[in-house]
Amino acid sequence: MATSKDVRSKVRRLQSGAPLRLVYTGRLERMKGAEHLVEVARQLQIPFTLDIYGDGTLRTEMQDAIRRWSLNDRVRIHQPIDFSTALIPMLRTEADLFLCCHVQSDPSCTYLETLGCGVPIVGYANRAWKGLLSKADAGWSVQLRRPALMAKKVEELHGSRDELCSKIDGAISFARKHSFEDEFRRRVEHLVQLSAEEDTFLQARD
């Protein structure tokens, strides 16, 4: 989880008006909507950087698009990096906003991992992300397969730093309530409860 020091550092930087540090981590595949990332970047009319960490069948296509739209100085595709020693520290200290173009409604671990690092998410309104947003004040959603709308939302957030900072707190607050340890404990407690109910049912039947 992001620390209080991580959060204070991000908030100070955001409130200074520095360019937004956008990030994406994951597979570069169409089912993840990765090809939309470059289109979002192309339409942005604000200072920003976009760092993409991952690999997949779309890598070459995306690199070609970055060159075609002269985005090389702002959009970078990195090789996958180690989760615990590199990716998580990067998210905690060097990312302001996560772009999530997932078109599938799968319950991706990306959501909670990202929120736990204190990084709000602007994502496509698939069922998984809409469900999370109904419980967590941790980001924003836009219509599926509409990169222009995602770019517009990012531009709005560039000018609404207080709103962006408030979502950092919401992201961490939600993630802390759903850490691996807490979720595992709740599942064990639920299984114990079900076992007790089954015993009671069997005794009553006998």
Short mmCIF file of all heavy atoms in Angstrom, two decimals, residues 32-67:
data_model
loop_
_atom_site.label_atom_id
_atom_site.label_comp_id
_atom_site.label_asym_id
_atom_site.label_seq_id
_atom_site.Cartn_x
_atom_site.Cartn_y
_atom_site.Cartn_z
N LYS A 32 -7.67 -6.12 -23.84
CA LYS A 32 -7.39 -5.16 -22.78
C LYS A 32 -7.54 -3.72 -23.28
O LYS A 32 -7.31 -2.78 -22.53
CB LYS A 32 -5.97 -5.37 -22.24
CG LYS A 32 -5.77 -6.71 -21.55
CD LYS A 32 -6.61 -6.81 -20.29
CE LYS A 32 -6.37 -8.09 -19.53
NZ LYS A 32 -7.21 -8.20 -18.32
N GLY A 33 -7.91 -3.57 -24.53
CA GLY A 33 -8.09 -2.23 -25.08
C GLY A 33 -6.82 -1.42 -25.18
O GLY A 33 -6.85 -0.19 -25.28
N ALA A 34 -5.67 -2.11 -25.21
CA ALA A 34 -4.38 -1.41 -25.16
C ALA A 34 -4.17 -0.48 -26.35
O ALA A 34 -3.51 0.55 -26.24
CB ALA A 34 -3.25 -2.42 -25.06
N GLU A 35 -4.74 -0.85 -27.50
CA GLU A 35 -4.54 -0.01 -28.69
C GLU A 35 -5.17 1.37 -28.54
O GLU A 35 -4.82 2.31 -29.26
CB GLU A 35 -5.10 -0.71 -29.94
CG GLU A 35 -6.61 -0.74 -30.06
CD GLU A 35 -7.25 -1.91 -29.32
OE1 GLU A 35 -6.60 -2.48 -28.43
OE2 GLU A 35 -8.41 -2.24 -29.64
N HIS A 36 -6.09 1.53 -27.59
CA HIS A 36 -6.73 2.82 -27.37
C HIS A 36 -5.84 3.80 -26.62
O HIS A 36 -6.09 5.00 -26.64
CB HIS A 36 -8.04 2.63 -26.58
CG HIS A 36 -9.07 1.84 -27.31
ND1 HIS A 36 -10.35 1.65 -26.82
CD2 HIS A 36 -9.04 1.20 -28.50
CE1 HIS A 36 -11.04 0.91 -27.67
NE2 HIS A 36 -10.27 0.62 -28.68
N LEU A 37 -4.81 3.29 -25.96
CA LEU A 37 -3.97 4.17 -25.14
C LEU A 37 -3.30 5.26 -25.98
O LEU A 37 -3.28 6.43 -25.58
CB LEU A 37 -2.90 3.34 -24.41
CG LEU A 37 -3.40 2.40 -23.33
CD1 LEU A 37 -2.31 1.40 -22.95
CD2 LEU A 37 -3.88 3.18 -22.11
N VAL A 38 -2.76 4.88 -27.12
CA VAL A 38 -2.08 5.86 -27.96
C VAL A 38 -3.08 6.87 -28.52
O VAL A 38 -2.77 8.06 -28.65
CB VAL A 38 -1.32 5.15 -29.10
CG1 VAL A 38 -0.58 6.19 -29.97
CG2 VAL A 38 -0.30 4.16 -28.54
N GLU A 39 -4.29 6.41 -28.82
CA GLU A 39 -5.31 7.33 -29.31
C GLU A 39 -5.70 8.34 -28.24
O GLU A 39 -5.91 9.52 -28.53
CB GLU A 39 -6.54 6.56 -29.78
CG GLU A 39 -7.66 7.42 -30.34
CD GLU A 39 -7.25 8.21 -31.57
OE1 GLU A 39 -6.29 7.81 -32.25
OE2 GLU A 39 -7.90 9.24 -31.84
N VAL A 40 -5.80 7.89 -26.99
CA VAL A 40 -6.07 8.83 -25.89
C VAL A 40 -4.96 9.87 -25.84
O VAL A 40 -5.22 11.08 -25.77
CB VAL A 40 -6.16 8.09 -24.55
CG1 VAL A 40 -6.28 9.10 -23.39
CG2 VAL A 40 -7.37 7.15 -24.53
N ALA A 41 -3.72 9.42 -25.87
CA ALA A 41 -2.58 10.34 -25.80
C ALA A 41 -2.58 11.32 -26.97
O ALA A 41 -2.27 12.51 -26.81
CB ALA A 41 -1.28 9.54 -25.78
N ARG A 42 -2.90 10.83 -28.15
CA ARG A 42 -2.90 11.69 -29.34
C ARG A 42 -3.86 12.86 -29.21
O ARG A 42 -3.61 13.96 -29.73
CB ARG A 42 -3.26 10.85 -30.58
CG ARG A 42 -3.19 11.61 -31.89
CD ARG A 42 -3.52 10.72 -33.05
NE ARG A 42 -4.94 10.45 -33.18
CZ ARG A 42 -5.81 11.24 -33.80
NH1 ARG A 42 -5.40 12.37 -34.35
NH2 ARG A 42 -7.08 10.91 -33.89
N GLN A 43 -4.96 12.63 -28.50
CA GLN A 43 -5.99 13.66 -28.41
C GLN A 43 -5.80 14.63 -27.25
O GLN A 43 -6.49 15.65 -27.17
CB GLN A 43 -7.37 12.99 -28.30
CG GLN A 43 -7.70 12.14 -29.51
CD GLN A 43 -9.17 11.86 -29.65
OE1 GLN A 43 -10.02 12.70 -29.34
NE2 GLN A 43 -9.51 10.68 -30.14
N LEU A 44 -4.87 14.33 -26.37
CA LEU A 44 -4.67 15.20 -25.21
C LEU A 44 -4.02 16.52 -25.61
O LEU A 44 -3.02 16.54 -26.34
CB LEU A 44 -3.80 14.49 -24.17
CG LEU A 44 -4.47 13.34 -23.40
CD1 LEU A 44 -3.46 12.64 -22.51
CD2 LEU A 44 -5.65 13.87 -22.57
N GLN A 45 -4.57 17.60 -25.10
CA GLN A 45 -4.05 18.95 -25.38
C GLN A 45 -3.51 19.59 -24.10
O GLN A 45 -3.68 20.78 -23.88
CB GLN A 45 -5.16 19.81 -25.99
CG GLN A 45 -5.76 19.27 -27.26
CD GLN A 45 -4.74 19.20 -28.39
OE1 GLN A 45 -3.99 20.15 -28.61
NE2 GLN A 45 -4.70 18.08 -29.09
N ILE A 46 -2.87 18.79 -23.26
CA ILE A 46 -2.31 19.24 -21.99
C ILE A 46 -0.89 18.68 -21.85
O ILE A 46 -0.54 17.73 -22.54
CB ILE A 46 -3.16 18.77 -20.79
CG1 ILE A 46 -3.26 17.24 -20.81
CG2 ILE A 46 -4.54 19.42 -20.81
CD1 ILE A 46 -3.85 16.63 -19.56
N PRO A 47 -0.09 19.25 -20.96
CA PRO A 47 1.23 18.64 -20.68
C PRO A 47 1.03 17.32 -19.95
O PRO A 47 0.27 17.24 -18.99
CB PRO A 47 1.91 19.67 -19.78
CG PRO A 47 1.11 20.93 -19.90
CD PRO A 47 -0.29 20.50 -20.21
N PHE A 48 1.72 16.27 -20.40
CA PHE A 48 1.57 14.96 -19.76
C PHE A 48 2.70 14.04 -20.20
O PHE A 48 3.40 14.31 -21.18
CB PHE A 48 0.23 14.30 -20.15
CG PHE A 48 0.23 13.76 -21.57
CD1 PHE A 48 0.52 12.41 -21.81
CD2 PHE A 48 -0.03 14.59 -22.66
CE1 PHE A 48 0.54 11.91 -23.11
CE2 PHE A 48 -0.02 14.10 -23.96
CZ PHE A 48 0.27 12.76 -24.19
N THR A 49 2.86 12.95 -19.49
CA THR A 49 3.65 11.81 -19.95
C THR A 49 2.79 10.57 -19.76
O THR A 49 1.95 10.51 -18.86
CB THR A 49 4.96 11.65 -19.17
OG1 THR A 49 4.67 11.49 -17.77
CG2 THR A 49 5.88 12.83 -19.39
N LEU A 50 2.98 9.59 -20.62
CA LEU A 50 2.29 8.31 -20.50
C LEU A 50 3.32 7.20 -20.59
O LEU A 50 3.99 7.03 -21.61
CB LEU A 50 1.25 8.14 -21.62
CG LEU A 50 0.61 6.74 -21.74
CD1 LEU A 50 -0.07 6.32 -20.44
CD2 LEU A 50 -0.38 6.70 -22.91
N ASP A 51 3.45 6.45 -19.49
CA ASP A 51 4.37 5.32 -19.44
C ASP A 51 3.57 4.03 -19.44
O ASP A 51 2.70 3.84 -18.58
CB ASP A 51 5.26 5.42 -18.20
CG ASP A 51 6.31 6.50 -18.34
OD1 ASP A 51 7.28 6.28 -19.09
OD2 ASP A 51 6.15 7.58 -17.73
N ILE A 52 3.87 3.18 -20.40
CA ILE A 52 3.15 1.92 -20.59
C ILE A 52 4.11 0.78 -20.27
O ILE A 52 5.18 0.67 -20.88
CB ILE A 52 2.65 1.80 -22.04
CG1 ILE A 52 1.70 2.97 -22.37
CG2 ILE A 52 1.97 0.46 -22.28
CD1 ILE A 52 1.38 3.10 -23.86
N TYR A 53 3.71 -0.06 -19.32
CA TYR A 53 4.54 -1.19 -18.91
C TYR A 53 3.84 -2.49 -19.27
O TYR A 53 2.75 -2.77 -18.77
CB TYR A 53 4.79 -1.15 -17.40
CG TYR A 53 5.64 0.00 -16.94
CD1 TYR A 53 5.06 1.25 -16.68
CD2 TYR A 53 7.01 -0.14 -16.79
CE1 TYR A 53 5.84 2.31 -16.27
CE2 TYR A 53 7.80 0.93 -16.38
CZ TYR A 53 7.21 2.15 -16.13
OH TYR A 53 7.98 3.22 -15.72
N GLY A 54 4.44 -3.26 -20.17
CA GLY A 54 3.82 -4.51 -20.55
C GLY A 54 4.30 -4.97 -21.91
O GLY A 54 5.11 -4.32 -22.57
N ASP A 55 3.77 -6.10 -22.34
CA ASP A 55 4.13 -6.64 -23.63
C ASP A 55 2.94 -7.40 -24.20
O ASP A 55 2.00 -7.73 -23.48
CB ASP A 55 5.33 -7.58 -23.50
CG ASP A 55 6.13 -7.68 -24.79
OD1 ASP A 55 5.68 -7.13 -25.82
OD2 ASP A 55 7.21 -8.30 -24.76
N GLY A 56 2.99 -7.64 -25.51
CA GLY A 56 1.89 -8.36 -26.14
C GLY A 56 1.92 -8.19 -27.65
O GLY A 56 2.83 -7.55 -28.20
N THR A 57 0.90 -8.71 -28.30
CA THR A 57 0.88 -8.71 -29.76
C THR A 57 0.71 -7.32 -30.37
O THR A 57 0.97 -7.12 -31.56
CB THR A 57 -0.26 -9.61 -30.27
OG1 THR A 57 -1.52 -9.12 -29.77
CG2 THR A 57 -0.07 -11.05 -29.80
N LEU A 58 0.28 -6.34 -29.56
CA LEU A 58 0.06 -4.99 -30.09
C LEU A 58 1.27 -4.08 -29.93
O LEU A 58 1.22 -2.91 -30.35
CB LEU A 58 -1.13 -4.33 -29.37
CG LEU A 58 -2.51 -4.94 -29.62
CD1 LEU A 58 -3.56 -4.21 -28.81
CD2 LEU A 58 -2.86 -4.90 -31.10
N ARG A 59 2.35 -4.59 -29.36
CA ARG A 59 3.48 -3.73 -29.05
C ARG A 59 4.01 -2.99 -30.28
O ARG A 59 4.16 -1.76 -30.26
CB ARG A 59 4.60 -4.56 -28.41
CG ARG A 59 5.79 -3.71 -27.96
CD ARG A 59 6.91 -4.57 -27.39
NE ARG A 59 7.97 -3.75 -26.85
CZ ARG A 59 8.02 -3.29 -25.61
NH1 ARG A 59 7.07 -3.60 -24.75
NH2 ARG A 59 9.02 -2.53 -25.21
N THR A 60 4.28 -3.73 -31.36
CA THR A 60 4.82 -3.10 -32.57
C THR A 60 3.84 -2.10 -33.16
O THR A 60 4.21 -0.98 -33.55
CB THR A 60 5.18 -4.17 -33.61
OG1 THR A 60 6.17 -5.04 -33.06
CG2 THR A 60 5.72 -3.53 -34.88
N GLU A 61 2.56 -2.47 -33.21
CA GLU A 61 1.53 -1.58 -33.74
C GLU A 61 1.46 -0.28 -32.92
O GLU A 61 1.35 0.81 -33.49
CB GLU A 61 0.17 -2.28 -33.70
CG GLU A 61 -1.00 -1.43 -34.15
CD GLU A 61 -2.32 -2.18 -34.03
OE1 GLU A 61 -2.35 -3.39 -34.29
OE2 GLU A 61 -3.33 -1.54 -33.67
N MET A 62 1.55 -0.40 -31.62
CA MET A 62 1.48 0.78 -30.76
C MET A 62 2.73 1.65 -30.91
O MET A 62 2.64 2.88 -30.94
CB MET A 62 1.28 0.35 -29.31
CG MET A 62 -0.08 -0.28 -29.05
SD MET A 62 -0.24 -1.03 -27.41
CE MET A 62 -0.10 0.43 -26.35
N GLN A 63 3.89 1.02 -31.03
CA GLN A 63 5.11 1.80 -31.23
C GLN A 63 5.08 2.55 -32.55
O GLN A 63 5.52 3.70 -32.63
CB GLN A 63 6.33 0.86 -31.16
CG GLN A 63 6.63 0.36 -29.76
CD GLN A 63 7.75 -0.66 -29.73
OE1 GLN A 63 7.90 -1.47 -30.65
NE2 GLN A 63 8.55 -0.63 -28.68
N ASP A 64 4.54 1.90 -33.57
CA ASP A 64 4.40 2.57 -34.87
C ASP A 64 3.47 3.77 -34.76
O ASP A 64 3.74 4.84 -35.34
CB ASP A 64 3.86 1.59 -35.91
CG ASP A 64 4.87 0.52 -36.31
OD1 ASP A 64 6.07 0.70 -36.02
OD2 ASP A 64 4.46 -0.49 -36.90
N ALA A 65 2.38 3.62 -34.02
CA ALA A 65 1.43 4.72 -33.85
C ALA A 65 2.06 5.87 -33.08
O ALA A 65 1.82 7.05 -33.39
CB ALA A 65 0.18 4.22 -33.13
N ILE A 66 2.86 5.55 -32.09
CA ILE A 66 3.55 6.59 -31.32
C ILE A 66 4.47 7.41 -32.23
O ILE A 66 4.49 8.65 -32.17
CB ILE A 66 4.35 5.95 -30.16
CG1 ILE A 66 3.39 5.41 -29.10
CG2 ILE A 66 5.32 6.96 -29.54
CD1 ILE A 66 4.06 4.53 -28.06
N ARG A 67 5.21 6.73 -33.10
CA ARG A 67 6.08 7.43 -34.03
C ARG A 67 5.26 8.23 -35.05
O ARG A 67 5.60 9.37 -35.37
CB ARG A 67 7.00 6.43 -34.75
CG ARG A 67 8.12 5.88 -33.88
CD ARG A 67 9.12 5.10 -34.73
NE ARG A 67 8.54 3.86 -35.23
CZ ARG A 67 8.61 2.70 -34.60
NH1 ARG A 67 9.23 2.62 -33.44
NH2 ARG A 67 8.07 1.62 -35.13
#
